[in-house]
Amino acid sequence: MKVGVPKEIRPSERRVALVPESVSKLVDAGMEVVVQAGAGAFAHFADEAYQNAGATVAANASAVYDAADIIVKVQRPTFGGEDEPPESSMLRSGVVLIGFLQPLYHPAVAKGLAEMGVTGFSMDAVPRIARAQSMDALSSMSSIAGYKAAIMAAEALGIYLPMMVTAAGTTPPAKGLVLGAGVAGLQAIATSRRLGAVVSAFDVRPAVKEQVESLGATFIQEALHTEGMEDEGGYAKQLNQEAQQLEQDLIHTHARTMDFIITTAAIPGRAAPILITKDMVRDMRPGSVIVDLAAETGGNCELTKPGETVVANDVTIIGPLDVPSSVPVVSSQMYSRNMLTLLQHLVRDGELTLDFEDAITRDCCITHDGKVLHGPTLELLGEGGGKA
């Protein structure tokens, strides 16, 4: 089997799907690897390092797509626009494509891949089960995003995060609120605490209380906690309208006293829930900061503008996109390890082995044999699909 690693072409993407360390392990297992020249440059992995790991370096993307049986990427392939040529035009029938296809947000991509006869695996669909933890790229990237969100908040604030005792006086520690205690939220808490901030956290799932407190943060107790607020994948379920209002009222009460807020709430396949309204922003402290990690799906703050930093009522609202890509070395290394483990699961004795009785293969295989297999994506396509 030949594995191809093209250079990512979507704007601002700096990660690479495989780093030289993982390439070496694939080569040792009897696989061939073809890497596009410059594919790892933004993450500081030189072509020479790939060659030393046993890979062949190809001059351009077309050469990689033509040679490979399996294409590994970070981002979903482009289907048109200003790209010359779009990546979809280089995919051929029968090839395997693995990457963050995000079929719940881009179902038309899945439809297009199926029509081309591409077998597509999505890294964001890896099931959250014990034996798939080493393949869970979504958690890996969320951890990096949570870390970077705390750094962004510290950089944007006009005050120290830790308490500082100086000859000029003592400054109190900054107070932060993290909304959502999933992987990103927990890492945001941990990093903010390491930097010296006093942190509180809110989540509708009572099961995360112990994790929050183990990191030294205060779990907001007064929340509307309802059993069964977690789906099978470990994500929070969408609240009904009455519960959403109670949730917003609670957040409003605490937001008034915070120097920074980091939001991480996401519901797979849906727009991010609004947790911070413009009225809440109006009541926040002058100079306070919101880092909205849900910006890519609309944002948890009503005033968030994805990809931009705005100031409203003297509150800075940061809506970053593709946050893991801003830490390209570590994010590429972690993603590459996730990819390597999935490849080792799918390729056995040098042959692609698709066992659809296996939960990992079944859940993350989006398209195969000219069909969309992923149930939730099929439901979305039945509702009209979307743009690729």
Side-chain angles (χ1 to χ4, degrees):
M1 298 292 291
K2 289 187 178 180
V3 176
V5 187
K7 184 176 182 179
E8 300 293 325
I9 66 172
R10 286 191 180 272
S12 78
E13 184 53 69
R14 301 173 67 195
R15 291 170 289 181
V16 61
L18 287 176
V19 303
E21 179 186 11
S22 298
V23 167
S24 178
K25 293 179 179 179
L26 290 175
V27 171
D28 288 344
M31 301 180 71
E32 297 181 47
V33 182
V34 182
V35 180
Q36 182 181 347
F42 288 135
H44 310 291
F45 296 106
D47 292 346
E48 183 180 1
Y50 284 104
Q51 290 174 325
N52 291 339
T56 299
V57 174
N60 52 51
S62 294
V64 173
Y65 281 88
D66 288 344
D69 303 300
I70 302 175
I71 297 291
V72 295
K73 285 180 47 57
V74 177
Q75 294 281 358
R76 67 190 186 279
T78 58
F79 270 73
E82 299 178 358
D83 306 300
E84 295 292 342
E87 291 172 305
S88 60
S89 69
M90 293 182 281
L91 289 166
R92 66 183 190 281
S93 179
V95 76
V96 175
L97 172 69
I98 309 175
F100 276 126
L101 304 183
Q102 298 182 302
L104 295 183
Y105 295 104
H106 305 281
V109 169
K111 182 180 179 182
L113 293 175
E115 291 173 346
M116 290 186 291
V118 173
T119 294
F121 287 87
S122 193
M123 295 297 286
D124 53 306
V126 171
R128 286 188 163 176
I129 57 178
R131 63 189 180 89
Q133 286 181 343
S134 60
M135 310 173 198
D136 188 359
L138 202 58
S139 290
S140 296
M141 298 302 103
S142 294
S143 178
I144 294 170
Y147 157 81
K148 195 59 186 286
I151 303 300
M152 291 178 183
E155 184 176 21
L157 275 174
I159 61 174
Y160 289 128
L161 256 66
M163 180 178 74
M164 298 290 284
V165 180
T166 73
T170 299
T171 59
K175 295 178 65 178
L177 174 63
V178 176
L179 302 180
V183 176
L186 291 172
Q187 188 57 250
I189 292 168
T191 305
S192 298
R193 291 285 297 131
R194 290 189 196 103
L195 293 172
V198 175
V199 183
S200 299
F202 168 83
D203 197 292
V204 297
R205 300 166 297 165
V208 302
K209 178 177 184 291
E210 183 177 350
Q211 298 175 64
V212 167
E213 293 179 341
S214 72
L215 295 172
T218 299
F219 189 67
I220 296 177
Q221 299 278 0
E222 316 96 287
L224 177 68
H225 291 315
T226 305
E227 296 298 331
M229 289 309 302
E230 186 173 87
D231 66 16
E232 294 179 357
Y235 297 97
K237 292 181 180 179
Q238 189 171 30
L239 298 175
N240 60 39
Q241 188 171 355
E242 180 183 3
Q244 285 178 356
Q245 186 58 56
L246 291 172
E247 178 186 50
Q248 288 181 351
D249 291 344
L250 175 66
I251 293 171
H252 195 171
T253 298
H254 289 271
R256 292 187 177 99
T257 65
M258 297 297 163
D259 297 302
F260 68 93
I261 300 176
I262 297 172
T263 72
T264 70
I267 301 172
R270 297 179 181 270
I274 297 298
L275 304 181
I276 302 175
T277 66
K278 59 185 177 183
D279 291 335
M280 294 185 204
V281 174
R282 189 178 299 118
D283 288 344
M284 289 179 66
R285 289 177 174 179
S288 56
V289 172
I290 297 170
V291 180
D292 193 341
L293 287 183
E296 293 201 27
T297 54
N300 294 140
C301 177
E302 188 177 5
L303 299 179
T304 294
K305 292 186 178 180
E308 299 182 25
T309 296
V310 299
V311 178
N313 301 109
D314 205 15
V315 176
T316 300
I317 304 164
I318 304 171
L321 302 177
D322 197 11
V323 176
S325 191
S326 67
V327 193
V329 177
V330 173
S331 58
S332 293
Q333 290 170 333
M334 294 177 71
Y335 184 79
S336 179
R337 291 167 191 156
N338 297 142
M339 181 67 76
L340 170 65
T341 311
L342 181 58
L343 284 170
Q344 291 170 334
H345 175 76
L346 296 174
V347 179
R348 302 171 190 174
D349 298 322
E351 297 293 332
L352 181 69
T353 303
L354 300 183
D355 177 10
F356 290 106
E357 296 298 317
D358 174 75
I360 297 172
T361 302
R362 180 182 64 246
D363 287 4
C364 64
C365 186
I366 310 302
T367 64
H368 179 62
D369 198 22
K371 301 175 184 177
V372 176
L373 302 182
H374 192 238
T377 303
L378 281 171
E379 292 180 13
L380 291 174
L381 289 169
E383 296 172 5
K387 294 182 180 180

